[in-house]
Amino acid sequence: KFSPKFQHLTCFVPGMLALGSKTLNRPADLELAKQLTYTCFQMYNQTATGLGPEYVLFRDSSDKGLLPTNHKDDFDIEDLPAADSSEISNGYYLGYDRGYLLRPETAESIMILYRITGDVMYKEWGWQIFQAIEKWTKTPAGFSAYRDVMSTKRDSQLTDSMESFFLAETLKYLYLLFSPADYFSLDEYVFNTEAHPFKIQRGHAQT
């Protein structure tokens, strides 16, 4: 079955495709990576706080999709009411969970796309996301997850929780985005799922 739900967790995929396009010489994969990274960035860019929600939803060509109140079944497709101006403008609509958990996937792909393309637009996107994180989630003791990215009532939205991946991954990828491209170069290192760098070992094929 098809689910029209696009999760923030999925936003590592464009970075993966971009790395594969470079390694395997598949330029079409890079173009797809650029488009997906744009979608991931717009998940941040179109909200009131500039923070990205856990997921966004899309309607299909026959106006079917998940109801915004649905938080149990990702495949319970129903007829949707007419799109409002926000959905028409954004291309998506928000669902039941509008929280921001300080996740790293979008920052990861933005960093990789910048390293591979050299397009400074990705630095601008990363800086915009970092500024939103600083404005809305920073506290005297650290950074906090945020309950509803569409609410600007900051104090009531802070959850008093910070996942370890925020320091280990989100901030690391943003730091790498603004570091020289030869600092942990993608030609020499690969980052695992927890953003730990591993030196690429280039062996010799045996015959």
Side-chain angles (χ1 to χ4, degrees), residues 131-192:
Q131 287 182 305
I133 292 171
E134 281 269 304
K135 179 177 180 179
W136 297 104
T137 74
K138 190 174 183 179
T139 75
F143 291 79
S144 171
Y146 204 84
R147 289 188 176 89
D148 185 349
V149 298
M150 295 304 292
S151 173
T152 56
K153 297 179 179 178
R154 179 181 181 275
D155 291 345
S156 65
Q157 298 302 315
L158 298 175
T159 68
D160 195 28
S161 64
M162 183 181 78
E163 297 283 354
S164 61
F165 55 66
F166 177 68
L167 297 178
E169 300 179 63
T170 308
L171 290 184
K172 183 184 293 182
Y173 287 129
L174 288 170
Y175 181 82
L176 289 169
L177 174 63
F178 295 100
S179 300
D182 59 357
Y183 183 69
F184 287 96
S185 167
L186 297 181
D187 293 324
E188 299 178 12
Y189 291 88
V190 62
F191 292 87
N192 72 359

Side-chain angles (χ1 to χ4, degrees), residues 15-16 40 43 49 53 71 85 92 113 117 153 188 191 194:
M16 177 186 70
C40 292
M43 289 173 66
T49 58
H71 63 283
S85 58
Y92 63 76
L113 266 290
T117 68
K153 297 179 179 178
E188 299 178 12
F191 292 87
E194 301 300 329

Side-chain angles (χ1 to χ4, degrees), residues 9-193:
L9 288 167
T10 313
C11 286
F12 81 93
V13 172
M16 177 186 70
L17 288 172
L19 288 172
S21 74
K22 179 179 180 181
T23 304
L24 303 174
N25 191 27
R26 293 166 56 113
D29 286 352
L30 180 58
E31 294 308 308
L32 178 57
K34 291 177 181 178
Q35 294 171 22
L36 289 172
T37 304
Y38 175 80
T39 299
C40 292
F41 170 67
Q42 292 304 323
M43 289 173 66
Y44 287 75
N45 191 46
Q46 301 295 343
T47 67
T49 58
L51 301 173
E54 271 292 275
Y55 61 85
V56 295
L57 301 169
F58 298 91
R59 68 176 63 219
D60 65 19
S61 58
S62 58
D63 285 334
K64 294 182 181 293
L66 297 174
L67 293 177
T69 54
N70 182 344
H71 63 283
K72 294 182 178 180
D73 187 349
D74 288 353
F75 299 94
D76 186 16
I77 307 302
E78 300 186 31
D79 292 325
L80 295 174
D84 60 20
S85 58
S86 174
E87 182 184 349
I88 293 171
S89 173
N90 298 344
Y92 63 76
Y93 58 101
L94 297 178
Y96 180 82
D97 188 349
R98 300 182 176 193
Y100 173 63
L101 300 185
L102 305 167
R103 291 199 185 278
E105 292 80 17
T106 297
E108 175 184 6
S109 286
I110 287 175
M111 182 276 289
I112 292 172
L113 266 290
Y114 171 70
R115 288 281 185 99
I116 288 178
T117 68
D119 190 335
V120 296
M121 171 185 68
Y122 295 109
K123 277 191 170 183
E124 294 169 359
W125 290 0
W127 180 242
Q128 181 175 319
I129 289 172
F130 177 73
Q131 287 182 305
I133 292 171
E134 281 269 304
K135 179 177 180 179
W136 297 104
T137 74
K138 190 174 183 179
T139 75
F143 291 79
S144 171
Y146 204 84
R147 289 188 176 89
D148 185 349
V149 298
M150 295 304 292
S151 173
T152 56
K153 297 179 179 178
R154 179 181 181 275
D155 291 345
S156 65
Q157 298 302 315
L158 298 175
T159 68
D160 195 28
S161 64
M162 183 181 78
E163 297 283 354
S164 61
F165 55 66
F166 177 68
L167 297 178
E169 300 179 63
T170 308
L171 290 184
K172 183 184 293 182
Y173 287 129
L174 288 170
Y175 181 82
L176 289 169
L177 174 63
F178 295 100
S179 300
D182 59 357
Y183 183 69
F184 287 96
S185 167
L186 297 181
D187 293 324
E188 299 178 12
Y189 291 88
V190 62
F191 292 87
N192 72 359
T193 188

